[in-house]
Amino acid sequence: MIRKIQHNAYGDPSVLEMVETDEPTPGEGEVRVSVKAVSLNPVDLKTFEGYKPLRIAETSNRLRHPSWWFGRGPARFPKGVGRDFSGVIDALGPGVNNIAVGDAVLGTLRSAPGSGVTEGSLAEKLVTSAQNIVAKPENLNFEVAAALGVAGETACGAFRAIDLKPEDVLVISAASGGVGAVAVQLAVHRGATVIGIASEKNAEFVRSLGAIPVAYGDGLKERILKAAPTPVTKILDCYNGDYIPLGAELGLKKDAMGTLIPTPKAMIKGAQFTGARHAQPGDLKEVADLVASGDIDVTLAHVYPFKLTSIRDGYKELGTGHVRGKLVVTIP
């Protein structure tokens, strides 16, 4: 038997519960991972809260797949929680030849937008496709390795969607957050000039990432125009989609604006709903190698034990929107 976190209804973190279930068995092309650490992401929170744009995305997916309404698609409930993970391979399914039991890995679970994850990574053991994992660099601990999946693939996918170039001047909102901080450093590593929107208290942190910090609030457009060495050419909204109208005010065309949250304001302006959905094989390995080499630094804001109350507290902290870096849960 193993323990895992799941939810049977939409709501705040109090809907999360810890249950015991049978150990999963890997199928064709799958591996089983004994999980060492899991990071918490805003997408987890929005999914189990039933965030309306994501539920609309789920309904859209079901309309495109009529068989899902008859039990042949992903179940609505119960659903697991969590996407990122790191751990050690402890079983292989048929057809897996390039990985061995005992290998240390990191990865992230995938699903259709809005549908959440059936099993979730907040579990003592999980089964996933061998394509969803990469080898963990030796000099990365499991906690940092677990924090890379969603952030790394989201940044890589978003930059692919908006076609980031070395000559770009890129604005990133929520630049001090778990995804934003990785995105800032990756963009700087690729040669772009980055203006990072964050609170005044996080200005020095954002500057340490290589960005030009700008405080959010009234007068933001004027502060960006003053800070930008040349005209802004791209924007990536890692907060809530409401920064996309700012991009339009800065004169950006729709293909130069990306958002991680498909809000009505963002969609009206024609911004691209992007992130991990535009990631490609190799993106996670690229980010893991950059972290291992010291080119990208990952800040762990808080590390929680694998206890229900602690996990609920972690998501409550994440929900404040003021976390600097990543929140991680360790599993003994």
Side-chain angles (χ1 to χ4, degrees):
M1 301 292 286
I2 64 164
R3 295 176 299 159
K4 69 177 185 179
I5 299 294
Q6 67 179 34
H7 64 108
N8 283 284
Y10 293 122
D12 62 28
S14 66
V15 303
L16 302 182
E17 55 187 25
M18 184 174 286
V19 300
E20 288 194 352
T21 185
D22 293 334
E23 277 192 359
T25 301
E28 182 75 27
E30 295 180 329
V31 299
R32 188 173 67 200
V33 179
S34 179
V35 182
K36 299 297 184 183
V38 175
S39 72
L40 311 184
N41 288 287
V43 66
D44 309 337
L45 184 65
K46 291 182 182 297
T47 299
F48 69 70
E49 283 182 337
Y51 184 62
K52 188 174 181 179
L54 294 181
R55 292 179 69 177
I56 291 173
E58 178 185 16
T59 300
S60 177
N61 278 313
R62 289 182 176 273
L63 291 174
R64 289 197 296 267
H65 301 85
S67 64
W68 288 15
W69 297 96
F70 300 98
R72 293 191 287 273
R76 286 188 180 274
F77 297 111
K79 284 186 177 178
V81 181
R83 295 173 183 265
D84 289 347
F85 62 89
S86 64
V88 176
I89 300 294
D90 77 348
L92 304 176
V96 179
N97 303 311
N98 59 340
I99 305 167
V101 170
D103 285 354
V105 298
L106 63 131
T108 188
L109 303 179
R110 295 178 174 275
S111 67
S115 62
V117 283
T118 303
E119 296 302 327
S121 59
L122 277 166
E124 291 174 322
K125 294 189 178 186
L126 63 82
V127 164
T128 187
S129 167
Q131 297 178 354
N132 290 340
I133 60 173
V134 299
K136 182 183 77 66
E138 289 188 8
N139 60 331
L140 285 188
N141 62 38
F142 284 107
E143 289 78 13
V144 171
L148 304 183
V150 167
E153 291 197 345
T154 295
C156 288
F159 293 160
R160 184 172 291 112
I162 64 175
D163 192 25
L164 184 70
K165 303 289 188 184
E167 61 269 21
D168 278 323
V169 176
L170 169 69
V171 173
I172 296 180
S173 66
S176 64
V179 173
V182 170
V184 165
Q185 294 175 87
L186 183 60
V188 170
H189 178 76
R190 293 183 177 183
T193 299
V194 179
I195 297 173
I197 301 172
S199 65
E200 289 186 5
K201 70 176 183 179
N202 284 324
E204 287 306 312
F205 174 66
V206 170
R207 185 175 285 109
S208 74
L209 302 177
I212 302 168
V214 172
Y216 57 72
D218 293 341
L220 176 58
K221 176 185 174 182
E222 288 70 27
R223 287 192 293 277
I224 289 176
L225 291 173
K226 183 177 180 180
T230 56
V232 172
T233 57
K234 304 280 172 66
I235 187 169
L236 175 61
D237 185 4
C238 299
Y239 188 61
N240 64 357
D242 287 348
Y243 281 101
I244 293 302
L246 169 66
E249 290 177 16
L250 292 169
L252 301 183
K253 297 185 182 300
K254 59 183 181 181
D255 58 356
M257 301 188 293
T259 180
L260 307 185
I261 309 297
T263 62
K265 288 183 180 179
M267 297 301 100
I268 288 172
K269 296 297 182 181
Q272 300 185 74
F273 172 35
T274 185
R277 63 188 307 187
H278 291 129
Q280 292 183 1
D283 286 349
L284 183 52
K285 183 180 186 304
E286 175 191 357
V287 173
D289 288 344
L290 287 172
V291 175
S293 66
D295 291 295
I296 289 179
D297 180 63
V298 174
T299 298
L300 300 185
H302 201 135
V303 177
Y304 295 91
F306 187 59
K307 297 179 179 179
L308 179 59
T309 54
S310 297
I311 292 168
R312 287 174 173 171
D313 287 344
Y315 279 117
K316 288 176 183 176
E317 182 179 355
L318 191 64
T320 65
H322 298 293
V323 176
R324 178 192 291 184
K326 296 288 293 184
L327 303 178
V328 172
V329 173
T330 57
I331 301 181

